[in-house]
Amino acid sequence: MQIRGLYRGATSSFVGMAFESSLLFGIYSQTKQSLQGGVQSSGPQLQVIIPSAAYSGALISFVLCPSELVKCRMQVQGTDSLVPRSRRYSSPLDCALKAVKTEGVTGIFRGGFTTLLRETIGNAVFFSVYEYVRYYMHSRLKAASSENSHLIDVGIGIVSGGLGGVGFWTAVLPLDVAKTLIQTTPDKSSTRNPFQILSSIYRRAGVKGCYTGLGPTIVRAFPANAAAIVTWELAMKLLGIRHD
């Protein structure tokens, strides 16, 4: 197996992740500030965090769905797969164009409802965990030492962001499993209802089947989300934006 096969579909994924992260954090921050009404809170408020996170997650799902559909289909058609050569995709763009050609414009958004569910629920969990862990660690570590504040901030960002990512995928991995099946099945008439799909998986393989790939996903989620949060917090400091 060629090394590049491990990264099949990565281009669309990287582009989607960069755009998604920018939108997600920007929309979350703005929505959170609007719901707070400019009033500084003494601690995390779930009645603000959850709707802000769910709203931002719902919006970025429209960006993620097409990019993930392309990524999943590129990965499924491995060089040793049963996909006929004439039906293989030469690039992410080719994959997207063929999806539109064979399924219509809505074809590129196949699995959109499941992606929306995953992102609204997942980001509500992510930002709730992140905000509470960040608040708890700041209240303990900042009070204990005022030295090396920058290093402390980075450490807090790593832990809070990493745990937020773990919480995200633990909560919604079954929806992601269903989404992948919806987007990659060759039978275009098959159900797009994620709950019917998960019910079928549960009957065949139990809870373990619904959480297929949990280990690698968690291993990836912690450093990826830790890096995203540290970058976001650093960007806000450089721009002079206050983080409540």
Side-chain angles (χ1 to χ4, degrees), residues 144-158:
S145 174
S146 59
E147 298 179 1
N148 301 317
S149 59
H150 293 301
L151 288 177
I152 292 176
D153 287 340
V154 170
I156 292 174
I158 290 172

Side-chain angles (χ1 to χ4, degrees), residues 149-214:
S149 59
H150 293 301
L151 288 177
I152 292 176
D153 287 340
V154 170
I156 292 174
I158 290 172
V159 175
S160 58
L163 290 178
V166 171
F168 179 107
W169 286 108
T170 301
V172 300
L173 185 59
L175 286 172
D176 189 67
V177 170
K179 179 197 71 71
T180 300
L181 291 174
I182 291 170
Q183 292 182 328
T184 58
T185 179
D187 182 7
K188 305 310 177 187
S189 63
S190 61
T191 180
R192 298 189 186 188
N193 186 321
F195 303 109
Q196 289 182 1
I197 293 173
L198 289 175
S199 177
S200 176
I201 294 174
Y202 180 76
R203 288 195 299 270
R204 292 197 316 269
V207 175
K208 186 177 180 180
C210 296
Y211 277 89
T212 300
L214 178 63

Side-chain angles (χ1 to χ4, degrees), residues 214-229:
L214 178 63
T217 300
I218 295 301
V219 169
R220 180 198 67 187
F222 192 99
N225 286 278
I229 285 297

